[in-house]
Amino acid sequence: MENAEQSWRVTDRRSFLLKGAAVGAGAIGASRLLADPSPASADAGLTDGDVAILQFLAAAELLEADLWEQYNELAGIQDREVPGGRGNRAYTKALSVLDEDMNQYIHDNTDDERSHVRFINAYLEAHGAGSINLDKFRTLPSSKARGARQIGRLTNLMELTVDTSWWTRYRSDSKNPDLGDKLPQAIPDLAVGRHPAIPRSDADLTPRKHLQAIANTAGFHFAAIEQGGSSLYASLAQRVTSPEVLRILLSIGPTETMHFQTWQDKAGNAPPLTDPKTGLKFPDLNGHGELLQTNLIMPEPTVFLDRKFPTVSIIRPTETEGAAVGAAKALTASGLFKGQSQEFFSAVTALAQAADAAQRQ
């Protein structure tokens, strides 16, 4: 993604980035267009930067909804709110080891992300801006396990590298990535290699510890995704101009934090084990100090803005510089988009660059 500087081309013909842009030429132009925002329309009161931020968030929520729909099809509750798969009993049971209500939580998280997509796109359309549609990129394969729909996907949950430094980041009382600090991985094995978070086929349903390792991977991935959303909304809120757009970001962002708080609590219930097929190891996180302790789910006060200030309990990180591009790079590094086209990466890059170019007026 670092090298991709091509145009964003959504299927909505009204998108402000679609106007005549050819792949390979649009991202830099879009960034320049948005670097010095002016009101998008007198009635809306939105700057081009506001629009760019909302469009990037709409794309992010579409990607998030896509991955949660896959989880819900296999291990959530299927109903009219979140239609789709038929459930996979064995995988659902493995996830219930983390909490007996996991199917309800997965369903509700999925429903929330779908609502974010609908609202942000509707708001963009109501203000004369192009909504985001990623349907052309629904090309990745589905799980072949029982219960999954066989449709094209935006995201890949079968080859993940899960960054679990969020676990230690929220337990540290002296480090903050905003100040350049690096935190250790809670589950080192998850941070290297490629691991399925859903069964790839019915062959992954046995042996029991192999399937449990997949469910454990999902549990840590749930929290990794939602803590990213918590930071992203807080970071981009610092760049919007319209008070109403600020209200949107300050209203949606905390729901991502509520998701994160739920999932990090459940991840702590993942049983220690070693996958007999792959060797993936989930260690016992207790008994090794507060940096790994499972029941420390409240954000530990830590350094913020400057080390001269007292520690404070905060969302971390919230640095606004390069926040959107950083989020896109992190998702790419996780393998979530493995198999996607160069055009997809170019599209996401252009949206992220445009969002990062927004300036508060």
Side-chain angles (χ1 to χ4, degrees):
M1 288 189 65
E2 296 94 311
N3 298 325
E5 289 192 337
Q6 301 177 352
S7 71
W8 169 236
R9 300 175 71 186
V10 297
T11 55
D12 189 329
R13 60 186 173 84
R14 294 174 298 163
S15 170
F16 81 107
L17 285 173
L18 185 62
K19 301 173 183 175
V23 174
I28 296 176
S31 296
R32 288 174 178 166
L33 171 65
L34 298 173
D36 183 18
S38 57
S41 73
D43 292 335
L46 303 186
T47 65
D48 287 339
D50 290 337
V51 172
I53 287 171
L54 288 172
Q55 289 184 321
F56 176 73
L57 290 173
E61 294 288 1
L62 274 165
L63 295 167
E64 200 173 0
D66 180 80
L67 71 89
W68 278 110
E69 286 168 0
Q70 293 180 67
Y71 282 128
N72 193 72
E73 288 173 19
L74 291 168
I77 295 172
Q78 288 80 45
D79 58 16
R80 288 188 297 177
E81 281 186 329
V82 186
R86 295 174 286 107
N88 185 289
R89 182 174 298 180
Y91 180 57
T92 302
K93 183 177 180 181
L95 274 168
S96 72
V97 171
L98 280 63
D99 190 286
E100 63 182 7
D101 291 321
M102 288 290 274
N103 61 345
Q104 184 68 61
Y105 301 150
I106 291 169
H107 168 279
D108 292 349
N109 206 139
T110 308
D111 190 38
D112 287 355
E113 307 307 347
R114 287 160 56 92
S115 77
H116 295 167
V117 172
R118 291 192 298 268
F119 180 88
I120 295 174
N121 267 338
Y123 186 85
L124 283 165
E125 291 180 356
H127 290 79
S131 60
I132 299 300
N133 185 327
L134 301 180
D135 285 350
K136 68 182 295 183
F137 300 117
R138 294 185 184 277
T139 59
L140 301 183
S142 296
S143 164
K144 297 300 188 292
R146 293 191 300 271
R149 290 186 294 171
Q150 297 307 300
I151 60 173
R153 310 289 185 173
L154 294 171
T155 58
N156 183 344
L157 298 179
M158 295 180 278
E159 300 179 76
L160 292 176
T161 301
V162 184
D163 182 351
T164 58
S165 64
W166 56 264
W167 180 281
T168 54
R169 182 191 315 153
Y170 274 92
R171 286 161 174 77
S172 173
D173 62 1
S174 62
K175 294 185 177 182
N176 183 341
D178 280 337
L179 298 179
D181 296 326
K182 304 294 183 183
L183 281 298
Q185 299 289 331
I187 312 294
D189 283 6
L190 276 183
V192 295
R194 299 292 185 186
H195 311 284
I198 56 175
R200 295 161 293 189
S201 69
D202 288 348
D204 276 334
L205 303 180
T206 56
R208 181 184 61 80
K209 283 190 175 181
H210 174 63
L211 181 59
Q212 190 62 55
I214 293 174
N216 286 5
T217 299
F220 279 89
H221 186 239
F222 295 168
I225 288 294
E226 298 304 315
Q227 66 83 29
S230 300
S231 288
L232 184 62
Y233 275 89
S235 297
L236 293 181
Q238 300 168 63
R239 293 182 169 270
V240 302
T241 297
S242 163
E244 191 166 74
V245 175
L246 178 62
R247 181 182 179 185
I248 291 171
L249 270 64
L250 294 182
S251 297
I252 293 179
T255 69
E256 303 286 351
T257 306
M258 295 170 75
H259 298 159
F260 168 56
Q261 181 74 342
T262 298
W263 294 127
Q264 75 150 331
D265 183 30
K266 305 316 170 190
N269 297 329
L273 60 81
T274 298
D275 188 327
K277 283 189 176 181
T278 68
L280 171 62
K281 183 177 181 179
F282 287 88
D284 185 349
L285 295 175
N286 290 304
H288 301 284
E290 292 188 354
L291 205 58
L292 294 178
Q293 190 172 325
T294 58
N295 65 353
L296 296 182
I297 62 172
M298 305 298 177
E300 188 72 15
T302 194
V303 291
F304 182 49
L305 298 182
D306 192 298
R307 297 185 193 275
K308 69 182 180 183
F309 295 125
T311 60
V312 59
S313 184
I314 52 167
I315 294 295
R316 59 199 84 162
T318 55
E319 171 60 54
T320 188
E321 188 69 28
V325 169
K329 287 181 179 180
L331 291 175
T332 301
S334 76
L336 191 65
F337 307 138
K338 188 172 176 59
Q340 273 289 1
S341 66
Q342 182 58 46
E343 186 180 1
F344 170 86
F345 291 112
S346 300
V348 173
T349 299
L351 277 177
Q353 290 173 340
D356 281 341
Q359 298 291 327
R360 183 185 298 278
Q361 300 298 294

